Structure formats: C-alpha cells, structure tokens
Amino acid sequence: MKIQKTELATKLNQIKGVVPKKTTMPILQGILVKEGYLIANNLEMTVKTKLEGTEGECFIIPERAFDLINNLPDGEVDISVSNGNTMTIRADKIKNKYQTMDPEPFPVADIDGEGSEFTLKAGQLLESVKRVSYAIPQQGGNATMSTMCLQAKDGQLNFVGLDGHVLAWDKIDYDGEFELLIPKNTIDKLKTLGLTGEVRIRHSNAMAIFATEDFEICTRLVQGEYYKYQNMFKELPLHTVISRKELLDAMVRAKMCTAEKCPVKFEIAGSQLGLSIKDQTTDYHETVDLQENISEELTIGFDARLVIETLKAFDCDNVGISLQSPKMPMIIEAEDSDFKTIVLPVAIK
C-alpha cells in the first residue's frame, strides 16, 4: 500500500480514539485496513473512515505503529505485509517492521437485515447533538441515563440528555416514530469526526449506523425505557429574559473566586438578578440586568458549574428563564430555536 503520510495520519487520528486501552481481544488494539477503509472497533461501536488507494488491502495496523506514522516526514508512505504477520513501513530513508495479526478475526459490526433508515443534514444533526450532550453523564448506575435519547414522535425528532440534575431537550420537525438510546461514547465520537453532507441513519432494535460519504459509525443501542422528560417542562408563573453572555460571564467570575463546591445564590427582584457565592475566603456579589421585569421576588440556589455548562450549550444572544419557587427547577429556553433545559435547584444557607 502506497499513500501520502498526511492523508493516512489524518484518518488514523480521527478514529484511533475508538481503539480500546484494555480488551480481552488483542486484535481490537489495532486498526483494520480493508476494502478502502480504516476500521476501529471497541465492541460498543465500530468506526469506518474512507481511505482512497487502499482498495484490495486487508491487514492490521498495530497500535504501536500509530505514533511512528504521525511522526513520519511528509511524502509517500509504503506499507507492506509479508509472511502473514510482519508489517513493514517505509518512508524516505526510514524503515521499520512491526509484528501484526491475522485480520480475519477482526469484528466489523453491522445491522442484520435491512432495518429502518432516514436522512438528516449533518449540520442539523450535530447542532442538536452538541446542545444536549453536556447533560449526558459519562457513566452511572442507570444505563439508560448514560445515553442520548433520539426519539421520533408526534411530528418531531427529539434529542434529549439528562443526568438527574440537568435536562436538555432539542427538537426538529420529523415525520416518523421510533426511540433510540445512543451511548455517550458514540455521541462524543459523532461530535469529533467533522461529519458533512447528508447523514443516513439506519437502525434496528439493537444497533444504529450513522453513515456519510466519508464515515460510518455503527453503535450498539442501550435497551430500556427512557425518562418521561416532557412532563418536566411545565408553564411556570415567573418569567424573564436575560443576556446569555452577561449571565455566563458573571457566573464564570463568581465561580473562579472559590475552589469549593459552593452553590450560587440567585436573588431576583424587578429588573435585576443578584448573584453571589460565599465561602470561608470569598464573598462575591454581582448584579445582572433583566430585560423583562419579574412579577415576584425570588431567592434560589443552583450548582454554579451546571449553570455555566448549561449556558454554554446555547448559542443565542438572549435566553428566557422561567421559575416558580426555591424548590422548583429553573427552565431556560433559547430565543431562536426549540432548545430548552431544566436545572434543578440546590439548598442555600
């Protein structure tokens, strides 16, 4: 196989994060070159990226070779396999050999049968995925909560993430009905691949495939029933509008003044939001103007980190904030889309 080093290294770097650090199947700690693709698999997901000029090839690039390939000089790289398990890399004046493995046992996941399929624009898919992904926990006792819920129902496609303290929900128009619980690791990989064009999404009861012209991500689906998230979004009596950037900047300044996990206190009255954080070394106060007067005074506490992460998930200039009481969640809504979130309150002294 002869290929430009830059092209090989770029593609390799896009999918090598899928390669598991620990596994009972040593063959998975390499990347398969097969039928014009580079393929990585960690048994939860298989990621394929198109690599022109590798049609007809079939061998494993061992993990130990990744760094060498990245550090080769620009130009042509020649990779060959001899005696079944010896891979030789040549570039310029460089030559190195690695022991590799028989590629035949390398598993490549796919959907049995035809499955159901629909198509979304990559930008539309990624925009919604990025908005809600911050609310998905990395892991937890409840497997269904460590997923993004992709649910088609009642003429819309819903994207949902929640971790018990924050809930994020975005939606777009879509005609169909299904529910897919997609693991967080797959969501994180979708965000980093730079998907473009049309994304074909094919799914069965156990698997889903996200495919573009350049990539294919096949993931297992988590089985179970997702939380009834829509019931959480209710009409609340207290509503106002605030500059997202002004509130975010104020929150960041307050949070940086303490190393402790202190709640931020919101004191809302009339046209102003007073926020404060206090601990043994800090007593921070700042006032942020509201764009709409709030009808009642309210004091409520929140986890500062969650409020910051939530505000970062929005990309609009202003957000709507709805509240009811010190023990009820805060609903934050975008001014220019259907994206909305819920942040649960915390006790304040």
Side-chain angles (χ1 to χ4, degrees):
M1 177 181 90
K2 293 183 179 181
I3 192 169
Q4 291 296 310
K5 174 260 178 174
T6 301
E7 184 179 3
L8 175 60
T10 298
K11 296 288 188 175
L12 199 66
N13 289 333
Q14 286 175 316
I15 70 170
K16 70 179 184 181
V18 178
V19 175
K21 299 299 181 185
K22 295 181 180 179
T23 177
T24 57
M25 295 180 63
I27 196 170
L28 295 181
Q29 293 184 303
I31 287 179
L32 176 66
V33 180
K34 186 177 182 181
E35 298 173 355
Y37 286 89
L38 293 183
I39 306 171
N41 187 354
N42 61 16
L43 297 183
E44 181 177 271
M45 65 176 154
T46 298
V47 179
K48 300 169 64 175
T49 178
K50 189 175 291 185
L51 189 63
E52 301 291 347
T54 61
E55 295 80 3
E57 302 284 354
C58 188
F59 61 89
I60 301 286
I61 301 176
E63 186 178 26
R64 289 173 298 133
F66 297 172
D67 286 342
L68 174 63
I69 291 171
N70 270 308
N71 287 281
L72 290 173
D74 290 343
E76 189 176 76
V77 178
D78 187 338
I79 300 179
S80 60
V81 178
S82 60
N83 301 323
N85 62 356
T86 301
M87 185 181 77
T88 303
I89 298 178
R90 295 181 176 87
D92 194 21
K93 301 175 182 179
I94 300 164
K95 176 182 176 182
N96 195 39
K97 293 184 178 182
Y98 292 95
Q99 292 299 302
T100 184
M101 287 174 279
D102 177 9
E104 187 63 30
F106 193 98
V108 181
D110 203 346
I111 291 178
D112 294 330
E114 294 184 0
S116 300
E117 183 173 317
F118 64 100
T119 301
L120 293 177
K121 293 186 181 301
Q124 190 178 40
L125 171 68
L126 293 176
E127 184 177 71
S128 292
V129 165
K130 289 175 181 177
R131 283 173 174 168
V132 306
S133 62
Y134 85 97
I136 307 171
Q138 192 64 48
Q139 56 187 2
N142 187 337
T144 61
M145 288 183 65
S146 297
T147 67
M148 184 191 79
C149 179
L150 185 62
Q151 180 195 58
K153 187 178 180 181
D154 299 331
Q156 60 192 34
L157 184 60
N158 303 289
F159 300 76
V160 190
L162 65 93
D163 71 354
H165 302 281
V166 64
L167 191 164
W169 175 22
D170 200 15
K171 59 185 178 183
I172 59 177
D173 292 336
Y174 176 79
D175 186 21
E177 190 165 334
F178 60 81
E179 182 172 300
L180 311 178
L181 303 185
I182 305 167
K184 178 174 173 57
N185 288 340
T186 302
I187 295 300
D188 290 342
K189 180 51 64 178
L190 283 171
K191 289 160 47 180
T192 64
L193 288 176
L195 303 180
T196 58
E198 299 283 330
V199 182
R200 302 181 311 280
I201 303 173
R202 188 157 55 99
H203 60 92
S204 65
N205 290 332
M207 306 288 290
I209 294 177
F210 298 80
T212 67
E213 203 166 301
D214 296 316
F215 293 99
E216 188 174 294
I217 304 96
C218 183
T219 180
R220 69 170 182 85
L221 298 173
V222 174
Q223 303 302 309
E225 186 175 352
Y226 202 70
Y227 184 74
K228 304 298 184 185
Y229 60 91
Q230 293 176 328
N231 297 335
M232 292 289 292
F233 290 91
K234 299 177 180 179
E235 191 85 19
L236 300 181
L238 304 179
H239 179 79
T240 188
V241 176
I242 193 168
S243 164
R244 183 189 69 88
K245 185 178 186 305
E246 288 181 18
L247 179 56
L248 176 59
D249 289 347
M251 288 296 306
V252 170
R253 284 189 289 268
K255 182 70 172 66
M256 69 174 55
C257 291
T258 177
E260 297 181 19
K261 190 176 180 180
C262 299
V264 58
K265 180 192 291 186
F266 279 21
E267 295 176 284
I268 305 172
S271 62
Q272 292 188 325
L273 163 62
L275 60 87
S276 59
I277 283 185
K278 185 175 182 180
D279 62 19
Q280 293 181 343
T281 60
T282 295
D283 189 1
Y284 185 88
H285 295 263
E286 184 169 349
T287 301
V288 182
D289 292 333
L290 303 176
Q291 296 176 15
E292 294 180 5
N293 282 8
I294 202 155
S295 58
E296 298 178 21
E297 294 185 4
L298 177 66
T299 299
I300 188 171
F302 295 101
D303 182 309
R305 178 188 60 83
L306 283 182
V307 175
I308 290 171
E309 290 182 357
T310 297
L311 292 170
K312 286 181 176 179
F314 289 82
D315 50 19
C316 51
D317 292 334
N318 304 303
V319 292
I321 293 178
S322 297
L323 300 140
Q324 181 170 340
S325 71
K327 295 184 178 181
M328 292 292 290
M330 171 172 63
I331 298 176
I332 304 177
E333 300 177 80
E335 66 174 352
D336 59 355
S337 72
D338 289 320
F339 180 44
K340 60 181 70 175
T341 65
I342 285 176
V343 183
L344 295 187
V346 297
I348 49 176
K349 296 179 181 179

